[in-house]
Amino acid sequence: MKSEVINSERAPEPVGAYPHARRVGNMVFLSGVGPRRRGQKSIPGVVIGEDGSVVDYDVRTQTLSVFENIRVILEDAGAAWEDIVDVQVYLTNMKKDFPLFNALYAEHFTHVQATRTTIEVGSLPTPIAVELKVVAVTKEH
């Protein structure tokens, strides 16, 4: 079965030694996707203090940025939003952020009907509040 590494020129640079996605046959597996923007040090929806700590964050801005990053990675892998079949969501503050995240998710995923797991984590590799890991299935590539 053919396997292909996908690195998008439009998505933010990975923060480690991994590709944006990997296509195996008609399946596309995305690495965890956060809200960062390619070539930018600032993170959408995150206010960093002088000491480097997070002063404030906007989960709406971050979530919408994550969705956009997923879209471009999927497109560059030859897939579409509607091809998503499974989503893993990582939130750093379930109690505070889940209601708004869930409403945004419903707006963008209701027609997709992907399976989903949402997990609260203590932190993520960069100062972000939300990250998604996605699997998509397309026609044979």
Side-chain angles (χ1 to χ4, degrees):
M1 186 174 292
K2 182 181 174 188
S3 177
E4 176 185 5
V5 170
I6 308 295
N7 283 303
S8 173
E9 294 297 320
R10 301 182 293 158
E13 299 84 350
V15 296
Y18 56 86
H20 287 119
R22 189 164 191 114
R23 182 187 258 291
V24 180
N26 67 335
M27 298 187 73
V28 180
F29 301 87
L30 273 64
S31 295
V33 178
R36 294 179 305 107
R37 291 285 178 221
R38 185 167 196 86
Q40 295 182 11
K41 296 232 184 249
S42 64
I43 301 169
V46 179
V47 178
I48 303 290
E50 289 184 21
D51 65 353
S53 65
V54 175
V55 174
D56 195 17
Y57 69 92
D58 178 353
V59 77
R60 170 186 278 288
T61 299
Q62 286 192 45
T63 299
L64 295 176
S65 185
V66 168
F67 291 173
E68 180 57 30
N69 288 337
I70 289 169
R71 281 186 194 279
V72 300
I73 294 168
L74 286 170
E75 289 170 5
D76 290 352
W81 190 261
E82 293 72 24
D83 295 329
I84 296 172
V85 296
D86 185 60
V87 180
Q88 292 178 22
V89 179
Y90 302 95
L91 297 174
T92 59
N93 189 332
M94 187 77 72
K95 190 176 213 173
K96 176 181 177 227
D97 298 334
F98 183 78
L100 178 55
F101 172 83
N102 203 41
L104 293 169
Y105 186 94
E107 288 177 27
H108 293 266
F109 279 90
T110 296
H111 69 285
V112 175
Q113 289 297 296
T115 59
R116 183 181 94 181
T117 302
T118 305
I119 302 164
E120 181 178 57
V121 295
S123 65
L124 290 160
T126 59
I128 60 177
V130 59
E131 179 175 291
L132 272 68
K133 180 164 178 32
V134 170
V135 177
V137 177
T138 67
K139 295 178 182 170
E140 193 66 38
H141 186 66

